Amino acid sequence: MLATLSRGKTARWFSPDGLLGFISRREVGRNQLNVISHNKPAGPGAWRAEGSGGVRRVSASASLRAKPRGSPKKRPMSEKAQTRYFVDHRRVKLVAGSGGKGACSFHSEPRKEWGGPDGGDGGDGGSVFIKADRLVKSLAHVVPVYKGQDGQSGGSKNCFGRNGKPTYIGVPVGTVVKEREKTIADLSVHGQEYLAVFGGAGGKGNRFFLSNENRAPMTATSGMEGQERVLQLELHTMAHAGLVGFPNSGKSSLLRAISNARPAVAAYPFTTLNPHVGIVKYRDHEQVAVADIPGIIRGAHLNRGLGISFLRHIERCRFLLFVLDLSTPEPWTQLQHLQYELDQYEPGLSQRPQAIVANKMDLPEARENLQTLRSHITQRVIPVSALTGQNTEELILHLRELYDGYLQVDSSTRLTWW
């Protein structure tokens, strides 16, 4: 009986090769199994038994069926997918960390009967900062609530609690922080920080209350609560020039023709739902940022269409490029309506340095409307065709003239201020 158990126990731990050899040495009957052959398939540890039941393959190794290890590489997100998650405003609640409690304890040591108080103070709570980062392009990652880290409580032996670590919220460059519709911070420089809420001060231990009158204080205070605020974050696009026009006027195509940006282009209105910024490079290594503002309709200042959510992006543009569709009758009325919408949103916004871009000059009806447009307005009109690239060089050179004029005004303003 012991021999039978040992033989069965040994067979359980046989490898496939040893199991075949064990079966081949015993005669299990000519009618049940005629041939047992040990072939060597491609996979390691695989064996095949041929008999009356047919052919069966079994793998004793997990390497043949195992999934490849390592996280699969994520494909880079396309520009169209990135704009889908573009967020330019957030409402956040910020709560700073609370201070730690002070400790109440007395020194205890052999042969030292009157050790005195040794309770340490609690640590200060962590503050919450809002920091501008040029690598962040949207406010989509900002969560509704931020809670700072609390300070640790004090301990015996005059041990002070650790201060809470500060919390940093990364926002794009150009973010405006508002509280109750009042601007309190403008983060327009990379690395600029704004201390939004202060952390609470830590509590005092009983060692702090030691005095000549009270040699054994039993008092210890709790930490103060952290500051709490509700703020609004608004992203204003940082660009020198802004393309302003009605939907389907060819702003995205024009931005593709003069810069390195690649916004989506289609033959229907409201193709652009989020601002795009392109960089126009010159031979002297100067760079001018041009923003493609989504289409504005009549009544946009009343929050119609895309509303004022994108009119705010024009506030930072130093000069404007009004893009008119010359394939429509009376294109000069487009300029009047666009200027009216800008002035209703912010008085004087349409009076900034500007240029009139007459687009779609490749169409036959556009050539006839160009002369009529010049007779109705006094500003300079630059006829271009974003589709064929016609006369885009003149627009790029005029854009540089506006940029140089902005630099001169900016430098003179700084000298006057100093």
Side-chain angles (χ1 to χ4, degrees):
M1 183 176 182
L2 293 176
T4 305
L5 291 175
S6 62
R7 185 165 55 248
K9 191 172 183 180
T10 306
R12 181 183 301 178
W13 299 99
F14 271 171
S15 63
D17 298 337
L19 180 61
L20 290 177
F22 176 76
I23 297 177
S24 61
R25 286 194 299 268
R26 296 195 55 174
E27 294 181 1
V28 295
R30 297 179 180 179
N31 297 331
Q32 296 180 359
L33 185 63
N34 296 327
V35 179
I36 298 179
S37 61
H38 185 199
N39 298 329
K40 294 183 179 180
W47 61 279
R48 182 177 67 179
E50 299 180 357
S52 59
V55 178
R56 182 180 180 183
R57 293 183 178 272
V58 179
S59 173
S61 175
S63 61
L64 296 178
R65 297 181 178 270
K67 296 181 179 180
R69 295 184 178 181
S71 59
K73 295 183 179 179
K74 294 183 179 180
R75 296 181 179 178
M77 187 178 297
S78 62
E79 187 172 358
K80 186 175 182 180
Q82 290 178 0
T83 57
R84 187 183 309 168
Y85 303 103
F86 180 85
V87 177
D88 61 349
H89 63 279
R90 282 291 194 192
R91 182 177 181 271
V92 294
K93 179 180 180 181
L94 306 179
V95 182
S98 302
K101 298 180 180 180
C104 180
S105 62
F106 291 88
H107 184 70
S108 177
E109 189 178 346
R111 296 181 300 277
K112 198 170 185 180
E113 187 175 356
W114 308 101
D118 64 350
D121 299 344
D124 298 335
S127 302
V128 179
F129 293 83
I130 302 177
K131 185 176 182 180
D133 188 356
R134 62 169 174 261
L135 300 180
V136 181
K137 302 301 181 183
S138 173
L139 296 175
H141 68 285
V142 178
V143 298
V145 180
Y146 282 91
K147 179 69 170 65
Q149 186 179 9
D150 296 335
Q152 292 184 355
S153 301
S156 58
K157 299 182 181 179
N158 295 320
C159 293
F160 284 31
R162 179 180 299 174
N163 296 334
K165 294 183 179 179
T167 301
Y168 289 90
I169 305 175
V171 296
V173 176
T175 301
V176 176
V177 184
K178 294 184 178 181
E179 184 177 16
R180 299 177 183 177
E181 302 302 329
K182 182 180 179 181
T183 302
I184 58 178
D186 188 357
L187 307 178
S188 58
V189 181
H190 173 68
Q192 186 177 357
E193 298 179 0
Y194 171 68
L195 178 56
V197 286
F198 292 90
K204 302 298 183 181
N206 63 337
R207 180 68 177 81
F208 177 81
F209 298 97
L210 178 63
S211 63
N212 293 332
E213 291 78 12
N214 188 2
R215 305 302 300 174
M218 299 290 296
T219 304
T221 60
S222 301
M224 298 180 60
E225 296 291 334
Q227 190 180 6
E228 181 176 342
R229 299 173 73 179
V230 178
L231 303 177
Q232 292 82 32
L233 304 180
E234 295 182 359
L235 174 58
H236 294 188
T237 302
M238 299 291 293
H240 301 103
L243 298 177
V244 184
F246 284 103
N248 206 22
S249 60
K251 299 184 299 299
S252 300
S253 301
L254 184 61
L255 185 65
R256 293 171 66 100
I258 65 175
S259 69
N260 58 352
R262 291 295 177 266
V265 176
Y268 54 85
F270 294 106
T271 306
T272 302
L273 297 179
N274 299 301
H276 290 265
V277 178
I279 304 298
V280 181
K281 299 181 180 180
Y282 294 90
R283 294 182 178 179
D284 57 350
H285 305 287
E286 194 69 53
Q287 297 181 355
V288 179
V290 182
D292 175 17
I293 309 299
I296 300 174
I297 65 173
R298 299 179 184 179
H301 68 280
L302 301 176
N303 210 17
R304 294 177 182 174
L306 295 178
I308 63 176
S309 59
F310 293 109
L311 283 175
R312 69 168 65 99
H313 293 280
I314 310 178
E315 295 181 10
R316 291 187 181 273
C317 297
R318 302 305 179 185
F319 38 91
L320 306 177
L321 300 178
F322 290 98
V323 183
L324 306 182
D325 184 4
L326 288 196
S327 63
T328 60
E330 300 182 354
W332 58 89
T333 59
Q334 301 180 23
L335 178 62
Q336 297 175 359
H337 291 304
L338 289 174
Q339 292 177 343
Y340 174 76
E341 294 296 334
L342 296 183
D343 289 334
Q344 291 298 316
Y345 174 73
E346 181 181 339
L349 184 59
S350 65
Q351 303 302 323
R352 295 184 179 181
Q354 58 189 256
I356 310 302
V357 181
N359 196 14
K360 301 186 180 181
M361 289 301 300
D362 54 295
L363 300 178
E365 58 271 18
R367 302 176 182 177
E368 302 176 0
N369 295 331
L370 178 61
Q371 300 299 331
T372 311
L373 175 63
R374 287 177 172 173
S375 63
H376 281 79
I377 61 177
T378 59
Q379 296 95 326
R380 179 179 178 179
V381 179
I382 303 177
V384 298
S385 174
L387 180 63
T388 62
Q390 175 186 353
N391 205 29
T392 55
E393 296 82 2
E394 182 181 355
L395 175 60
I396 294 176
L397 293 177
H398 184 64
L399 188 64
R400 178 60 186 271
E401 295 176 3
L402 295 174
Y403 177 73
D404 293 339
Y406 156 69
L407 292 181
Q408 293 177 2
V409 173
D410 188 35
S411 60
S412 62
T413 304
R414 292 181 181 179
L415 292 176
T416 305
W417 185 80
W418 281 105

